[in-house]
Amino acid sequence: MIPEVSFTYFAVLNVVTGVFCQSAIDSAQNDHANIVHAMLANKEAHIDKIRSLFSQLGADKTGVITYAMFEEGINSPATCEYFESLGLDVWDAWSFFKLLDLDKGGAVEIEEFFKGCLRLRGQARGVDVGKILHDQTWLIKNTGHFQAYMEVKMKQLTEMMSQFTGLSVDNSWSRQISA
C-alpha cells in the first residue's frame, strides 16, 4: 500500500510541477520586455528580414519605402506574415506609416522601420496608442496657433471698433487670456 501512495504522490507532484513550468514558459514567451530584448539581441537578423521586406516592396536600391510603396504592399502575404510575427495588427496603413516616419520625411528607412515596429508592438495595441499621441500632439499645436491668431484678430477688431465709435473699448478679455 505504501508504494501505491508514494507513486500517486509522485504523480500528483509531477503534474503540479508540469503546470507550474508550462505557466512560467508561457509567461516568459509573452513578456514584452523579454521579446524586445531578444529582438535587439538579434537586431541584424531582424534588419535582414526588413531588408527582404523592403526589397519586396520595391526599395531594394534606395533602402527606403514611401507611403505609396507601403500601401501597395501592405496586404501581401510576406508583409502580413512579418507584422504577425512581431505581434502588430496593421489595419490602417496611413496611420501606421505616419507613426513610423518620425522625421516626417515622407519615407521610412530600415532603421526607422525597425525602431518603429519595436515601439509599436505589443498587446496594448501600440499602433492605436501611438496614433492617439500623434493626433493629440497635432491638435495641441494647431489649437495654440489658432488661439494666437484669434487673439490678434480680436485685438484688431476692438481697435477698429474703437476708431469708428470714438469710444474706448474694454480689452479685459485680452488681458484675461494672456494671464
Side-chain angles (χ1 to χ4, degrees), residues 5 9 11 20 32-33 35 39 60 71 77 80 90-91 98 111 113 120 141 145 148 161:
V5 172
Y9 185 72
F20 176 78
H32 178 69
I35 293 171
M39 285 182 75
D60 40 0
E71 184 180 38
C80 291
V90 182
W91 54 270
K98 284 192 309 185
E111 187 74 22
F113 189 90
L120 297 173
K141 181 179 116 183
H145 290 310
M161 287 177 58

Side-chain angles (χ1 to χ4, degrees), residues 27-28 40 48 54 79 102 143 145 169:
S27 176
L40 288 173
D48 288 341
F54 272 39
T79 307
L102 293 178
T143 302
H145 290 310
V169 178

Side-chain angles (χ1 to χ4, degrees), residues 35-145:
I35 293 171
V36 170
H37 289 324
M39 285 182 75
L40 288 173
N42 298 325
K43 183 178 178 180
E44 280 307 312
H46 284 283
I47 295 291
D48 288 341
K49 287 181 186 177
I50 294 171
R51 278 192 189 103
S52 172
L53 181 66
F54 272 39
S55 177
Q56 291 173 0
L57 294 174
D60 40 0
K61 292 183 181 169
T62 61
V64 296
I65 56 170
T66 62
Y67 173 69
M69 296 162 81
F70 184 71
E71 184 180 38
E72 186 177 311
I74 189 72
N75 293 321
S76 74
T79 307
C80 291
E81 181 182 310
Y82 181 74
F83 288 135
E84 282 179 22
S85 73
L86 291 178
L88 290 169
D89 181 20
V90 182
W91 54 270
D92 183 2
W94 173 247
S95 296
F96 187 76
F97 189 83
K98 284 192 309 185
L99 293 171
L100 291 177
D101 188 17
L102 293 178
D103 62 0
K104 310 281 186 261
V108 176
E109 299 169 356
I110 292 174
E111 187 74 22
E112 201 174 17
F113 189 90
F114 176 71
K115 288 179 181 177
C117 287
L118 276 180
R119 188 179 71 249
L120 297 173
R121 68 174 307 284
Q123 305 223 353
R125 296 194 51 124
V127 172
D128 297 330
V129 174
K131 183 176 180 350
I132 289 169
L133 288 172
H134 180 269
D135 292 347
Q136 186 69 22
T137 303
W138 180 88
L139 186 63
I140 289 169
K141 181 179 116 183
N142 287 316
T143 302
H145 290 310

